[in-house]
Amino acid sequence: MRAEFQSEINKTGSRDNHKGLNGWLAFFLTLSLIVLFVTSVLRMTVLNQKYTEDRVLTDTSVSLVTREMNDAISNIATLNNVPASIVKDALTDQQVDDIAKASLGNIYTGKEKVINPTEITNQVASNISKKVNTSNATDNAEADSLVATFKSNLNEYLTNNVQNSYLSKISSTVSSIKSTVQSFFLYSLIVSVVLALLLLVVNRAFFIPLKYIGSSAIWSGILIAVGSALALYTGLISIVSSRAAVFTGIVSSYINDTLNTMLVGSLMMVVVGLVFWLIGRNRNK
């Protein structure tokens, strides 16, 4: 009698007696896994300073930024009647690289003051003074006068047009996004664990929940993969990166790398989910 009773319990425990409830739990688990996966990828890529540095601060991109900064400095010098030849190549690639790394660090730590306009201005002024003195085109007094002519205006330009109007807003936006993504990551992680535990409690078995968890992972991976593929191959990246003007190539490459990471990760998620689903399905027969 005991053996027969135990056999009946085992059969009952191996059946999917809560398909409706299991289906709803799996549905919400799918949504939760999507949020958990996307926020995880964002934390490892876009919101990771080292990841951004490695992809944005390449030799090519730094040279491009140096050229743009030197062009801006030349324009300011021209407006102040300072000869363009004196301010040509006012900043070197190494100096711009150092400025860019420090700026990225300030952005990712949420600092309002991303750059130090005074420090950059003094650096530019020092480079120009050395160039003027080396050329012997003017005496020291004239060189100092030429440099002083546009120093204050350059400082004002960097503060108002670069710092306040551009970089401070980026830093604030990144800080808000990091906080939001972190919150969604934690919430989705908690919800996913709770839903998985509910599947275990409801079914009082291991393999039935495993089948539904695998199914949720499969659908989550498929939906994320489709979204990533659409963004990668429909021209959306070109539309977004075109707004970056001369930095289109840098932005396009950066977005491509991030979406490729998401695409590969989502396909791996599908494979893992399929393994779980097959184990749960076969053991439940």
Side-chain angles (χ1 to χ4, degrees), residues 218 266-276:
I218 291 171
S266 63
L267 294 177
M268 291 174 62
M269 190 177 187
V270 171
V271 173
V272 172
L274 184 59
V275 171
F276 280 18

Side-chain angles (χ1 to χ4, degrees), residues 63 160 185 205 243 280:
S63 296
N160 297 331
F185 170 77
R243 298 181 180 180

Side-chain angles (χ1 to χ4, degrees), residues 33-212:
L33 287 176
I34 290 174
V35 176
L36 179 62
F37 180 86
V38 172
T39 53
S40 297
V41 172
L42 289 176
R43 291 171 76 242
M44 292 186 295
T45 56
V46 177
L47 300 179
N48 184 293
Q49 181 181 339
K50 182 66 166 58
Y51 176 90
T52 300
E53 276 187 10
D54 290 343
R55 283 155 183 78
V56 173
L57 299 184
T58 62
D59 292 341
T60 301
S61 62
V62 168
S63 296
L64 180 59
V65 174
T66 302
R67 188 181 68 199
E68 291 299 312
M69 290 186 69
N70 283 332
D71 286 346
I73 292 171
S74 295
N75 291 335
I76 295 171
T78 300
L79 292 174
N80 288 274
N81 298 318
V82 177
S85 58
I86 294 179
V87 297
K88 183 180 179 182
D89 299 328
L91 288 172
T92 65
D93 284 350
Q94 184 58 54
Q95 289 171 333
V96 171
D97 185 57
D98 292 340
I99 293 170
K101 286 181 179 177
S103 299
L104 269 179
N106 291 334
I107 288 174
Y108 276 92
T109 53
K111 292 183 180 179
E112 184 180 356
K113 304 298 182 183
V114 177
I115 61 172
N116 187 335
T118 301
E119 182 179 327
I120 296 174
T121 300
N122 289 337
Q123 199 168 44
V124 171
S126 175
N127 291 346
I128 293 173
S129 295
K130 291 177 182 178
K131 185 180 294 186
V132 171
N133 292 333
T134 302
S135 66
N136 295 321
T138 55
D139 57 30
N140 289 337
E142 186 176 355
D144 291 340
S145 176
L146 287 171
V147 172
T149 302
F150 86 108
K151 266 187 70 173
S152 61
N153 287 335
L154 177 59
N155 191 295
E156 182 180 351
Y157 173 83
L158 291 173
T159 301
N160 297 331
N161 295 63
V162 179
Q163 178 92 283
N164 298 337
S165 301
Y166 185 59
L167 294 180
S168 293
K169 292 180 179 179
I170 290 179
S171 180
S172 177
T173 301
V174 170
S175 181
S176 297
I177 292 174
K178 284 181 70 175
S179 177
T180 301
V181 168
Q182 182 67 13
S183 296
F184 273 100
F185 170 77
L186 291 175
Y187 293 149
S188 61
L189 177 60
I190 293 171
V191 170
S192 297
V193 172
V194 170
L195 289 171
L197 290 175
L198 282 174
L199 282 167
L200 288 169
V201 171
V202 167
N203 293 279
R204 297 181 182 180
F206 178 74
F207 292 109
I208 293 174
L210 194 63
K211 181 179 71 173
Y212 284 100

Side-chain angles (χ1 to χ4, degrees), residues 13-28:
S14 67
R15 293 198 202 102
D16 190 352
N17 296 319
H18 306 280
K19 286 186 177 181
L21 181 57
N22 286 337
W24 278 107
L25 290 173
F27 171 74
F28 289 115

